[in-house]
């Protein structure tokens, strides 16, 4: 009696969890990986300190692209109402 | 008075007003008053859903408080603010379709409707209603105060007059228009928030002579301003990381956000909203906080953080454009208040009045009660805000964390875990709220983490352990929608 739509919904929720873990790893890795040294010796990319550029700017753009891809590739168009489902 | 600044703001208020009146016609013509007034008839498309999520979430602190802290802390605070990016996609992906399907099936209009059906417990209904009313009341009041201060500083009117003008305009469109008015004005307000952020960021970079130049002056002043650890090196990686729980992941537990995840039209709207919402939240949070940091070399020596954003806007932009940009924090404040107002009102009418006082109320009774309750709550909050008591301001600081500690696991497990039951939910609520109040009062930053971290973990453990034990002691049927 398990609703078939729930299987899809569960899979999509799981994709959300995976994306958030990726998001955190990129954000944390670049920020503290590149930013832990002496601030006067930072490298700069487009005027921003490298850690900031990769963690907050490039990382965010990368996440938006991943989310867009997830929508196109994995998220399914399913009806939400009960009547539509029975049809 | 800066007339050239005030005129665009005034035009903005008039348009918002018009939307309220238009939405009222929908309410009058609708055949299900409750669905229409509190959920806008579940008709939101992708753009509307994205904007209303963003506008509800982005509040006075994103536009006024946040940039002020960034001004004093540096790039480390922008890093912390970016923990909010998941608020745009995570909530909608996790609650997303399942919550919408279930809410339609059981005809839930409020978050409490959902909890009631899932756990079948009066204790849960009452605990939830009380936390929603207290925490959101406080939260609303702080937004009011912020809005009044902003108008006060722009127009030179007294605080009380500013508050009354601001409050009257918000109250009228919410009371007559309901959720549809809230969602539609959110769309306009959300767009203004994004446009305002971009204009101000560009103008600030130009005023500062380019990014290289600004960074150079920051490093000369204090190299730590460009490090992820903050000007005084107080931002530890552990502390900053725990903000992911408060402002990124835990947002699922905020009733004002969760209710939006059941009010959209179809799957396509959800998919579009996830993309638009993430881009929108990313732009605003990144832009506004970076503006705060960049303001430092452009306008050095501002002592009150909350004044950084308004002062900077008046400094770097021509007056009319400044009016448009300053409509952004106003929009952020209005859109947060209106969402909270309609939510508190639905809690009182739907969850308390219809459950306990008058279950057989006619449609007409519900209608007049809803209008009156919304009005009375709105006016009461305004009266409190005329002379804001210290305690309530303090309450607002932990309203976010308090609501998350109360609702996060009950919602998530209620949707996804068959064995979740009311005993688990009740204990997680009590443990969550209790620990959260205790830690934020007496043990701030326990183990160097944000005070919401431990209550969320503890209420998770309480939920799972108690649910399983209750299941052993007395066989409870696995429940699934």
């Amino acid at each position: 009696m398990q609703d078939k739509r729930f299987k899809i919904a569960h899979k999509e929720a799981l994709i959300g969890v995976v994306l958030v873990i990726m998001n955190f790893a990129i954000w944390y890795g670049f920020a503290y990986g590149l930013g832990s040294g002496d601030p006067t010796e930072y490298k700069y990319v487009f005027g921003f300190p490298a850690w900031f550029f990769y963690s907050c700017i490039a990382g965010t753009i990368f996440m938006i692209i991943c989310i867009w891809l997830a929508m196109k590739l994995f998220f399914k168009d399913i009806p939400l109402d009960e009547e539509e489902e029975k049809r | 008075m800066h007339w050239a600044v005030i005129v665009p703001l005034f035009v903005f208020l008039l348009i918002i007003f018009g939307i309220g009146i238009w939405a009222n016609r929908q309410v009058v013509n609708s055949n299900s008053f409750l669905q229409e007034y509190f959920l806008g008839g579940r008709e939101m498309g992708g753009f509307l859903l994205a904007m209303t999520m963003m506008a509800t979430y982005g509040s006075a602190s994103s536009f006024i408080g946040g940039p002020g802290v960034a001004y004093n802390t540096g790039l480390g605070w922008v890093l912390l603010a970016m923990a909010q990016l998941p608020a745009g996609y995570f909530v909608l992906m996790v609650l997303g379709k399942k919550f919408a399907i279930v809410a339609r099936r059981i005809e839930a209009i409020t978050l409490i409707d959902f909890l009631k059906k899932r756990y079948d417990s009066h204790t849960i209904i009452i605990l939830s209603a009380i936390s929603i009313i207290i925490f959101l009341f406080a939260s609303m009041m702080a937004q009011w105060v912020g809005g009044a201060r902003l108008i006060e500083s722009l127009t030179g009117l007294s605080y009380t007059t500013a508050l009354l003008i601001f409050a009257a305009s918000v109250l009228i469109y919410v009371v007559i228009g309901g959720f549809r008015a809230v969602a539609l004005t959110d769309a306009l307000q959300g767009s203004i928030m994004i446009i305002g952020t971009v204009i101000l960021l560009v103008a600030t970079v130009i005023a500062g002579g380019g990014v290289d130049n600004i960074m150079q002056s920051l490093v000369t002043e204090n190299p730590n301003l460009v490090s992820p650890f903050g000007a005084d090196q107080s931002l530890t990686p552990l502390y900053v990381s725990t903000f992911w729980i408060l402002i990124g992941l835990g947002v699922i537990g905020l009733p004002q956000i969760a209710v939006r995840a059941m009010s959209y039209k179809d799957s396509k709207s959800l998919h579009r909203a996830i993309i638009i919402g993430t881009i929108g939240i990313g732009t605003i949070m990144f832009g506004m906080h970076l503006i705060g940091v960049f303001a430092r070399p452009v306008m050095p020596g501002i002592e009150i953080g909350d004044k950084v954003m308004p002062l900077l806007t008046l400094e770097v932009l021509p007056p009319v454009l400044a009016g448009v940009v300053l409509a952004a924090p106003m929009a952020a404040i209005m859109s947060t208040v209106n969402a909270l107002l309609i939510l508190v009102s639905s809690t009182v009418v739907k969850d308390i009045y219809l459950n306990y006082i008058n279950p057989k109320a006619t449609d007409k009774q519900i209608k007049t009660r809803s209008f009156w309750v919304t009005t009375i709550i709105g006016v009461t909050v305004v009266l409190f805000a005329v002379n804001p008591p210290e305690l309530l301001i303090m309450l607002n600081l932990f309203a976010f964390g308090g609501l998350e500690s109360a609702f996060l696991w009950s919602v998530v497990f209620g949707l996804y875990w068959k064995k979740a039951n009311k005993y688990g939910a009740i204990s997680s609520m009590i443990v969550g709220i209790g620990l959260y109040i205790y830690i934020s009062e007496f043990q701030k930053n326990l183990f160097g983490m944000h005070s919401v971290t431990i209550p969320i973990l503890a209420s998770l453990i309480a939920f799972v352990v108690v649910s399983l034990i209750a299941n052993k002691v007395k066989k409870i049927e696995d429940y699934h929608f």
Side-chain angles (χ1 to χ4, degrees):
Chain A
M1 74 152 271
Q2 171 74 295
D3 192 325
K4 274 198 210 99
R5 295 173 299 167
F6 285 166
K7 224 178 149 182
I8 298 173
H10 291 175
K11 195 182 109 193
E12 293 177 358
L14 210 62
I15 295 176
V17 175
V18 172
L19 281 171
V20 119
I21 293 172
M22 265 170 60
N23 196 166
F24 181 82
I26 293 171
W27 172 89
Y28 190 96
F30 281 117
Y32 297 106
L34 296 175
S36 291
D38 180 357
T40 50
E41 287 166 15
Y42 280 161
K43 292 200 168 56
Y44 286 80
V45 181
F46 294 113
F48 295 96
W51 72 265
F52 185 79
F53 178 80
Y54 289 113
S55 174
C56 296
I57 300 175
T60 304
I61 295 170
F62 177 74
M63 279 315 297
I64 290 173
I65 295 171
C66 288
I67 289 162
W68 178 77
L69 279 176
M71 289 301 119
K72 293 288 159 209
L73 300 177
F74 304 120
F75 275 56
K76 295 214 169 65
D77 208 349
I78 52 171
L80 303 172
D81 288 311
E82 301 297 308
E83 311 90 67
E84 289 179 52
E85 178 204 10
K86 281 174 203 141
R87 225 176 276 155
Chain B
M1 291 233 195
H2 310 273
W3 281 110
V5 180
I6 293 168
V7 171
L9 283 178
F10 188 70
V11 172
F12 168 72
L13 279 182
L14 279 185
I15 298 174
I16 298 280
F17 232 75
I19 295 178
I21 293 166
W22 181 81
N24 176 255
R25 300 223 323 254
Q26 307 284 318
V27 174
V28 171
N29 294 331
S30 150
N31 44 18
S32 165
F33 172 77
L34 275 176
Q35 288 245 1
E36 173 59 39
Y37 192 72
F38 292 124
L39 275 189
R42 298 195 215 268
E43 279 180 0
M44 278 200 289
F47 180 73
L48 220 53
L49 176 64
M51 288 296 146
T52 185
M53 291 282 287
M54 200 181 80
T56 302
Y57 179 71
S59 64
S61 60
S62 327
F63 283 85
I64 307 285
V69 183
Y71 181 87
N72 292 318
T73 315
L75 291 181
W77 199 258
V78 185
L79 177 70
L80 186 149
M82 291 317 281
Q84 296 175 90
L85 192 68
Y89 62 92
F90 190 60
V91 182
L92 286 177
M93 284 184 180
V94 169
L95 292 183
K97 285 174 189 151
K98 182 133 193 203
F99 201 45
I101 294 170
V102 169
R104 275 156 213 251
R105 182 175 297 171
I106 63 178
E107 296 189 335
I109 288 172
T110 63
L111 181 67
I112 297 181
D113 276 343
F114 164 76
L115 297 174
K116 178 182 158 197
K117 189 82 182 172
R118 174 65 177 80
Y119 296 113
D120 188 27
S121 152
H122 291 295
T123 319
I124 291 185
I125 302 182
I126 291 166
L127 267 179
S128 316
I130 293 175
S131 9
I132 288 184
I133 293 170
I134 293 182
F135 284 125
L136 291 190
F137 196 88
S139 190
M140 243 187 302
M141 214 190 67
Q143 299 286 326
W144 258 187
V145 175
R149 291 252 184 265
L150 183 69
I151 297 190
E152 182 190 11
S153 65
L154 288 177
T155 58
L157 294 168
S158 75
Y159 171 78
T160 317
T161 321
L163 176 70
L164 291 181
I165 294 181
F166 191 54
S169 42
V170 178
L171 278 183
I172 292 175
Y173 80 75
V174 177
V175 169
I176 64 170
F179 190 93
R180 188 185 295 268
V182 169
L184 287 173
T185 50
D186 277 359
L188 177 68
Q189 287 157 342
S191 318
I192 287 192
M193 285 156 67
I194 297 180
I195 296 167
T197 304
V198 174
I199 295 178
L200 188 58
L201 182 58
V202 172
T204 310
V205 171
I206 294 172
V211 177
D212 295 303
N213 217 346
I214 294 175
M215 287 298 162
Q216 205 50 56
S217 1
L218 287 174
V219 175
T220 318
E221 194 193 332
N222 174 2
N224 287 326
L225 281 169
V226 301
S227 83
F229 302 98
D232 58 357
Q233 303 230 281
S234 61
L235 298 175
T236 66
L238 180 64
Y239 182 69
V240 175
S241 298
T242 50
F243 266 83
W244 277 69
I245 297 176
L246 179 72
I247 55 183
L249 317 183
V251 174
I252 293 179
L254 295 179
Q256 67 269 38
I257 298 290
V259 75
R260 281 166 167 68
M262 54 165 134
S263 56
Y264 59 90
K265 195 166 67 187
D266 50 24
S267 303
K268 271 207 182 65
S269 313
L270 177 75
H271 302 166
R272 283 190 63 196
I274 289 174
I275 300 172
I276 302 173
T278 311
I279 296 175
I281 288 193
T283 311
I284 291 177
M285 297 309 162
F286 176 78
M288 278 326 289
H289 292 90
L290 190 61
I291 288 168
V293 180
F294 282 4
R296 201 173 175 90
V298 177
M299 288 190 82
I302 300 178
E303 302 213 337
I304 301 172
D306 286 356
K307 289 193 171 165
V308 170
M309 197 268 177
L311 286 178
L312 177 76
T313 310
L314 294 174
E315 166 80 20
V316 301
L317 288 174
V320 177
L321 215 49
V324 175
V325 169
L326 286 172
M330 256 179 54
I333 293 167
M334 289 168 91
S335 56
T336 302
V337 173
N338 64 26
L340 301 186
L341 188 58
I342 204 85
L343 185 76
V344 174
S345 152
S346 70
T347 306
V348 173
V349 174
K350 182 77 180 41
D351 302 320
I352 296 179
Y353 178 74
L354 275 181
N355 272 334
Y356 296 109
I357 301 174
N358 185 3
K360 293 196 188 82
T362 62
D363 222 37
K364 192 159 185 288
Q365 275 175 320
I366 300 174
K367 206 176 272 190
T368 44
R369 297 291 188 285
S370 301
F371 288 135
W372 279 114
V373 166
T374 314
T375 312
I376 291 168
I377 295 170
V379 173
T380 320
V381 181
V382 175
L383 291 180
F384 270 100
V386 169
N387 198 354
E390 287 296 316
L391 181 74
L392 271 176
I393 294 280
M394 219 173 60
L395 263 179
N396 172 63
L397 291 177
F398 58 72
F400 249 52
L403 289 166
E404 291 175 2
S405 313
F407 292 114
L408 181 59
W409 301 115
S410 305
V411 173
V412 172
F413 285 141
L415 274 180
Y416 292 106
W417 192 34
K418 273 188 247 182
K419 294 194 184 308
N421 56 48
K422 64 178 169 187
Y423 306 102
I426 295 171
S427 27
S428 96
M429 278 185 171
I430 293 173
V431 168
I433 300 177
L435 257 185
Y436 185 66
I437 292 177
Y438 174 77
I439 290 180
S440 39
E441 274 298 287
F442 304 108
Q443 299 281 336
K444 267 211 176 331
N445 309 334
L446 193 60
F447 308 127
M449 299 184 287
H450 188 272
S451 27
V452 80
T453 319
I454 300 208
I456 295 258
L457 292 178
S459 61
L460 165 70
I461 296 168
F463 197 116
V464 175
V465 171
V466 176
S467 286
L468 290 177
I469 293 175
N471 229 326
K472 278 258 156 61
V473 175
K474 127 183 175 192
K475 185 67 196 150
I476 303 167
E477 223 177 301
D478 285 354
Y479 189 89
H480 223 291
F481 288 101

